[in-house]
Amino acid sequence: MLKKLVLLTILSLLCVLYVPQLFKPSSSLLTVFRLTGDPIVIVRGAQGSALTVNISFGEQEVENLLEQLIDPAPLLFVDIAWAQRFPELVEEIKTRSLPVALLGVAGEQYETNPELFALQVKQFEDVFEAKPLWFRTVDEQFPHSLLQLLHSAEINALGSTVHWKDGDLPKKVAGEIIAVPHHRDDQVALKDLKRLSSSRPFRSVEDLLFKPSIKTKKVPE
């Protein structure tokens, strides 16, 4: 009888300690979505299509853009200076839980000003109350020193497979990451964004990259 009580006690303790771990969300979903051990620029996934929008300009225009978005929403790369100017739009992004990432300046500026990246990340955290998981320079140039900073900060460098704004729709490619602009002098029209959105099923960047087959581009020396 005593042996049975001891055995039941041990089994109960094991259940308390280990059963909750079986239902715990995967750490890959809770922490940085680090896909590789080395700092690289991700420009393509393994399956499907993902849409990203670079935003650095506009108030009413961006409000109209946000109203048009449907699930799954594209990943919004947001210029932090723009976000600081329009807190109401930031609140809408946060309220709707739209996926958002940090859009940086031209890549070469991080070589001339090494403190700039850390400052922008801090500003992003202050505005969005979360650390960015994804980062993209506005010209998609990632100097080696910047990639090292991203790796140390556990933030992923995300480029794109193709840039598109208007004209013929891009040919569908497995794992493609499409980037569309929303800048002062370079922005996609809402009708063209709608045309692109309806041209193929889109999925989140995370879903696109779950399979670890990733295409990379050469890093500038």
Side-chain angles (χ1 to χ4, degrees):
M1 182 66 178
L2 181 59
K3 289 183 178 180
K4 289 184 178 180
L5 288 174
V6 172
L7 182 59
L8 286 173
T9 302
I10 293 174
L11 289 174
S12 299
L13 181 60
L14 290 174
C15 287
V16 170
L17 290 176
Y18 295 107
V19 170
Q21 300 300 318
L22 298 177
F23 300 96
K24 186 177 180 181
S26 168
S27 61
S28 66
L29 299 180
L30 296 175
T31 59
V32 172
F33 196 80
R34 176 172 285 180
L35 297 172
T36 66
D38 299 317
I40 63 168
V41 184
I42 301 169
V43 299
R44 184 174 166 187
Q47 55 183 342
S49 304
L51 179 60
T52 65
V53 183
N54 299 336
I55 300 176
S56 67
F57 172 78
E59 181 176 12
Q60 185 61 53
E61 300 95 330
V62 175
E63 184 175 349
N64 295 338
L65 183 150
L66 295 179
E67 289 177 354
Q68 182 173 293
L69 298 183
I70 58 175
D71 289 332
L75 178 59
L76 305 177
F77 277 91
V78 171
D79 174 84
I80 193 60
W82 173 88
Q84 291 172 327
R85 289 196 301 271
F86 302 108
E88 298 85 0
L89 293 177
V90 168
E91 284 305 311
E92 180 178 349
I93 290 172
K94 291 160 62 176
T95 298
R96 293 176 56 185
S97 298
L98 297 174
V100 63
L102 177 57
L103 179 66
V105 295
E108 65 177 10
Q109 294 191 39
Y110 296 98
E111 292 187 295
T112 58
N113 184 1
E115 307 299 322
L116 179 58
F117 173 72
L119 173 62
Q120 291 179 330
V121 171
K122 176 63 168 58
Q123 291 172 330
F124 185 97
E125 292 176 334
D126 290 342
V127 169
F128 288 98
E129 302 177 276
K131 180 179 179 178
L133 294 183
W134 307 100
F135 176 84
R136 170 185 289 166
T137 58
V138 71
D139 58 358
E140 294 197 17
Q141 296 301 306
F142 293 84
H144 183 69
S145 58
L146 175 58
L147 283 178
Q148 293 295 337
L149 290 174
L150 284 161
H151 192 67
S152 297
E154 296 188 330
I155 298 173
N156 296 287
L158 190 72
S160 65
T161 313
V162 62
H163 286 254
W164 186 84
K165 183 175 70 172
D166 53 24
D168 293 337
L169 291 169
K171 182 180 178 181
K172 187 175 180 180
V173 177
E176 64 187 354
I177 300 171
I178 301 177
V180 299
H182 204 285
H183 308 304
R184 178 184 294 273
D185 299 318
D186 182 26
Q187 59 182 263
V188 65
L190 290 183
K191 62 179 179 62
D192 287 318
L193 181 59
K194 185 175 182 180
R195 184 161 59 97
L196 175 63
S197 298
S198 61
S199 69
R200 67 204 72 189
F202 283 102
R203 59 179 66 191
S204 69
V205 170
E206 287 82 1
D207 285 347
L208 187 81
L209 300 173
F210 263 127
K211 292 184 179 179
S213 175
I214 305 167
K215 304 296 183 181
T216 64
K217 63 183 178 182
K218 185 177 179 181
V219 179
E221 295 295 337

